[in-house]
Amino acid sequence: MPIATVNPANGETLKTYEALSPEEIERRLALAARAFDSYRTTTFFDRARLLQRAADLLEADAPDIARVMTTEMGKPVAAARAEALKCVKTMRWYAEHASRLLADEHPAESDVTDSGAVRAHVRYRPLGPVLAVMPWNFPLWQVVRFAAPALMAGNVGLLKHASNVPQMALYLEDLFHRAGFPEGCFQTLLIGSGAVEGILRDERVVAATLTGSEPAGRSVASIAGDEVKKTVLELGGSDPYVVLPSADVAKAAKTAVTARVQNNGQSCIAAKRFIVHESVFEEFREVFVSGMRELRVGDPLDEGTDVGPLSSEQGRTDLEELVDDAVESGATVLCGGQRPKDFADRGWFYEPTVIADVTPEMRIHQEETFGPVATLYRVADLDEAIAVANDTPFGLSSNLWTRDEDEIERFVRDSQAGGVFVNGMTASHPALPFGGAKRSGYGRELSDQGIKEFCNITTVWIGA
C-alpha cells in the first residue's frame, strides 16, 4: 500500500513516498537506542527549553502546516489551525509542569520505619525508546499528546503515523529536530503496518502506544504482551450524549451539533448517540436537526466550511453501509443520509445526518459511526438513559445535560466511560487524564497520569 498524500476533497494524489528499507529501519532503531542512552541523563530544565522551542516553532508554522493537514486528511482549515495551537499549549504545559509531576515522592517516615529504611522515596525514571502508532484524524494532536510528556520524562519516540498523512509525520520529526532535540530523540518511520510487528518485537523498543481502531489495538497489544512490553491504547468510541428535563435544552441541542461534526465527525470522542428524555425530545430534535441541516459542507480550505470530506473513499463507504443497514431495518432519516449533490463527482463528502427510531439489532446501534452521522434516542427516565448509554462495547467518554445534582452523581457513578462531561461537550486538556474503558482501550494520556505511563516507577530504599 503506497504511503501517499491524497487530497480527500478531490481524490488527487499530491505526493508519494517510498517506505523505509529494512536497513534504514535498523539504522534508526540503533540511533534511537544511542539517543536514549544520553538523553535520559538530561535535566528537566534542558528538556523544557527544547520543548518550549518546539512550541514556539509550531506556533509560527501553524497557518502553513494547517493547510497541509487539511489537504492530507480533509478537516476544515480553521480546525486544523486550532489543532496546531492546542499542541502548542500542551507542549508548554508539560515543559512547565513535568519537573513537578515527576518529582521524587517521599512517604512519611512513620510509614516506612518498620521497613528498616533510614529513608525511602519513589523516583520516576524513563523507560527508553517508545513506539507510537498514530491515526490520521488528528495528525498533530494525537502525536504531540504522546510526544510532549514522553520527551519530558526522558524517553525517545519512534513514530509510525497513518500512511495517508506522511507530510504531517515528516513535519513532526523536522519540528523536534529544528527545536534542537538531540539526533534520534524523535524519529518518523515511514513504514506500512506490516513492519510494525518487527519493530515492536525489537529489544531496543521498550513500549508502545496506539491510538486507532480496535483491530489495530488488539494486534499491537497481542504482540507487546507476547514480548512483555507496556502498552497504552486509545481505541474507538461511541459516546452517549444524554439530555434530561432540567437541562438548557436549546443550548444542549446547539452544542450537540458541534459535538457530532467536529473533525467532520471523525473523532473517537465525538458524541455519536443522542439520548433524550421524552419530555424534551421534540424540542431537542427540532433544534438539533435544524442545526445539522444548516451546516455548510464544502471545500475544507474555505474558511466558511463547517464540514469537509471524509478522509478516504473507504471511510465514506463504511459510513454509508451503516446508514443503509439502519434504514433497511426501519430507522428514520431526519436529515441527510446521502452524498451532497454538489460533490457527486469529486471528493469523499457525506451530508450531516440524523437518524431516529434506532433499535438494538441495527449495526449502527453497536458500531462506531466515523463521520457526520448522529443517532437519536427517546427515553422515559434516567434509568433508561443510563442503560442505553452503556449499551455499547465502547467506553471512551460520555456527556450529560442536567441541572439536577442527584442526576449528575448518579450518572458519574454508573457511566461506563473514561470521562463524564456535564453541561458541555467532551474535550481533552493537558491537565486532565484522557482514556477509556471497555473496548475503548486502557491506560491514560495527558496530565500526571499520562507522563507516568512510560516511566519506571522506582522504589529507592536506603538503610543505615
Side-chain angles (χ1 to χ4, degrees):
M1 186 174 184
I3 297 175
T5 293
V6 180
N7 188 338
N10 56 27
E12 179 185 358
T13 299
L14 302 178
K15 291 187 177 182
T16 58
Y17 300 84
E18 292 294 325
L20 297 182
S21 67
E23 293 77 17
E24 180 62 12
I25 293 172
E26 167 57 30
R27 187 190 73 81
R28 289 175 179 247
L29 290 174
L31 179 58
R34 290 196 303 271
F36 174 68
D37 195 46
S38 58
Y39 183 69
R40 65 183 177 84
T41 65
T42 59
T43 66
F44 284 115
F45 176 83
D46 291 334
R47 298 170 201 164
R49 176 177 52 81
L50 295 171
L51 194 60
Q52 289 281 19
R53 175 61 176 155
D56 292 343
L57 291 169
L58 178 54
E59 186 172 38
D61 293 345
D64 292 332
I65 201 61
R67 295 182 68 84
V68 176
M69 188 189 309
T70 294
T71 58
E72 282 209 310
M73 54 71 60
K75 75 173 60 192
V77 69
R81 283 197 304 273
E83 179 177 335
L85 295 178
K86 184 174 184 176
C87 293
V88 170
K89 174 182 177 179
T90 298
M91 287 177 172
R92 289 176 175 159
W93 190 86
Y94 272 110
E96 179 181 350
H97 295 287
S99 61
R100 173 182 59 84
L101 299 176
L102 296 182
D104 289 353
E105 295 177 3
H106 298 267
E109 286 187 19
S110 59
D111 288 338
V112 297
T113 51
D114 62 351
S115 75
V118 173
R119 64 185 189 275
H121 63 272
V122 175
R123 178 162 296 178
Y124 294 92
R125 298 187 292 156
L127 288 179
V130 180
L131 175 65
V133 182
M134 293 288 110
W136 49 263
N137 57 337
F138 291 92
L140 276 181
W141 170 241
Q142 304 281 13
V143 178
V144 166
R145 76 183 191 191
F146 150 73
L151 289 168
M152 283 305 302
N155 295 301
V156 303
L158 293 162
L159 170 63
K160 190 283 182 222
H161 217 325
S163 293
N164 62 328
V165 288
Q167 291 184 88
M168 298 304 298
L170 293 169
Y171 169 78
L172 285 158
E173 180 180 73
D174 181 63
L175 174 69
F176 290 115
H177 173 74
R178 286 187 289 137
F181 280 89
E183 186 181 14
C185 279
F186 187 92
Q187 299 181 79
T188 284
L189 306 178
L190 288 186
I191 56 175
S193 57
V196 169
E197 179 171 356
I199 293 169
L200 185 50
R201 289 191 184 277
D202 190 285
E203 63 181 7
R204 291 163 293 192
V205 175
V206 299
T209 180
L210 177 141
T211 299
S213 68
E214 184 183 340
R218 287 178 182 273
S219 176
V220 164
S222 176
I223 296 164
D226 190 49
E227 297 291 337
V228 196
K229 295 181 179 180
K230 174 73 178 287
T231 53
V232 170
L233 303 180
E234 193 261 280
L235 308 179
S238 189
D239 291 4
Y241 190 100
V242 175
V243 182
L244 298 177
S246 67
D248 181 336
V249 177
K251 183 179 179 182
K254 291 176 182 177
T255 304
V257 174
T258 303
R260 177 65 286 246
V261 302
Q262 59 176 309
N263 203 43
N264 303 338
Q266 300 166 121
S267 171
C268 295
I269 58 169
K272 299 181 176 76
R273 297 175 299 125
F274 297 83
I275 303 162
V276 185
H277 191 280
E278 60 188 7
S279 67
V280 294
F281 181 87
E282 294 303 327
E283 179 184 356
F284 179 91
R285 180 192 59 77
E286 182 177 353
V287 177
F288 181 49
V289 172
S290 175
M292 292 285 278
R293 280 201 187 103
E294 292 169 3
L295 291 169
R296 180 179 173 185
V297 178
D299 181 356
L301 288 172
D302 185 334
E303 295 285 349
T305 291
D306 298 310
V307 179
L310 299 185
S311 69
S312 68
E313 186 174 16
Q314 185 60 53
R316 183 175 65 180
T317 298
D318 292 344
L319 192 67
E320 288 175 325
E321 289 176 356
L322 286 177
V323 172
D324 291 345
D325 173 79
V327 172
E328 291 169 4
S329 299
T332 304
V333 176
L334 301 181
C335 69
Q338 58 188 354
R339 303 177 185 184
K341 293 182 175 60
D342 292 343
F343 299 94
D345 59 345
R346 68 185 191 280
W348 301 312
F349 295 87
Y350 195 77
E351 289 182 342
T353 299
V354 181
I355 297 177
D357 303 315
V358 174
T359 55
E361 68 272 8
M362 298 175 186
R363 289 178 55 201
I364 205 167
H365 179 75
Q366 289 292 328
E367 298 181 31
E368 182 178 21
T369 50
F370 222 59
V373 174
T375 52
L376 186 57
Y377 297 79
R378 184 196 303 257
V379 294
D381 52 29
L382 178 58
D383 287 340
E384 187 179 2
I386 291 172
V388 175
N390 290 337
D391 188 22
T392 171
F394 301 107
L396 194 52
S397 189
S398 60
N399 303 261
L400 174 68
W401 288 75
T402 180
R403 295 188 178 98
D404 187 309
E405 288 296 328
D406 290 338
E407 290 176 343
I408 293 172
E409 287 304 311
R410 170 78 188 285
F411 193 82
V412 170
R413 184 192 73 185
D414 293 344
S415 172
Q416 297 171 357
V420 176
F421 286 72
V422 181
N423 297 329
M425 59 180 276
T426 296
S428 52
H429 186 281
L432 299 172
F434 179 86
K438 301 198 291 189
R439 293 187 182 177
S440 288
Y442 52 74
R444 290 296 180 266
E445 296 179 288
L446 302 175
S447 77
D448 64 320
Q449 305 286 332
I451 198 171
K452 292 173 180 174
E453 285 283 7
F454 295 115
C455 285
N456 178 353
I457 304 172
T458 307
T459 296
V460 180
W461 184 98
I462 302 172

